[in-house]
Amino acid sequence: MRVLILNGPNLNLLGTREPDTYGTATLADLEHDLRAYFPNIQFRFEQSNHEGRLIDVLHEERGADGIVFNAAAYTHTSIALRDAIAAIEAPVIEVHLSNVHARESFRHHSMIASVCQGVIAGLGMTGYRLATEALQALQQSEQGGNQS
């Protein structure tokens, strides 16, 4: 199974950026933890502060078995990312470290949620693991596996 973990703007600062909101774990910690928890998954980890680069990576990975995507602030503003997700075959799960619905009102609407398989918010780094597990379940379901 091939899974892309894609992170948007400012997430390169995890560990030092607003630790009360985002925690103290870094993207390197996330990569280490996911590789250890899912040794049989082939991961690609990408982060960019640039919307166009995020779109390019989505296009490059359109044939992946799944994508876990934290679009960060672009979640609330980017029709271009929404259209890129809609244009690819890979299932995408939207993830947010913080509970965006308990924050500023401008964070309550996601431009990308309607084209994603699901949304996980507010569970910190655990959200990425849960999203990866959901992608595994989707793949099993598509292959005629466990339907529960």
Side-chain angles (χ1 to χ4, degrees):
M1 181 171 189
R2 284 187 320 119
V3 174
L4 168 66
I5 307 294
L6 184 58
N7 285 286
N10 300 310
L11 293 170
N12 56 305
L13 299 178
L14 284 178
T16 59
R17 175 187 175 219
E18 301 177 66
D20 290 344
T21 301
Y22 300 108
T24 57
T26 66
L27 285 181
D29 295 332
L30 172 66
E31 180 174 347
H32 176 267
D33 291 349
L34 287 177
R35 288 189 191 283
Y37 197 86
F38 300 101
N40 296 322
I41 292 181
Q42 178 186 344
F43 285 105
R44 176 180 175 186
F45 292 84
E46 293 286 338
Q47 185 278 329
S48 181
N49 294 319
H50 305 281
E51 183 179 34
R53 176 66 186 141
L54 295 170
I55 292 167
D56 289 342
V57 173
L58 286 166
H59 290 177
E60 290 167 11
E61 292 293 331
R62 67 184 174 270
D65 296 309
I67 298 170
V68 177
F69 189 19
N70 184 341
Y74 288 138
T75 300
H76 319 292
T77 63
S78 182
I79 295 169
L81 283 172
R82 182 242 177 255
D83 290 350
I85 294 167
I88 64 174
E89 294 177 19
V92 177
I93 297 183
E94 178 184 339
V95 170
H96 298 284
L97 295 164
S98 67
N99 180 354
V100 293
H101 302 287
R103 298 184 61 195
E104 304 91 342
S105 62
F106 66 84
R107 296 186 196 274
H108 297 180
H109 180 73
S110 170
M111 298 298 285
I112 67 173
S114 66
V115 292
C116 290
Q117 292 292 314
V119 178
I120 299 172
L123 300 177
M125 293 287 188
T126 301
Y128 290 84
R129 180 177 51 81
L130 295 172
T132 303
E133 289 175 349
L135 289 170
Q136 285 181 313
L138 285 170
Q139 184 184 51
Q140 287 176 347
S141 177
E142 288 175 6
Q143 294 174 349
N146 185 354
Q147 298 291 323
S148 60

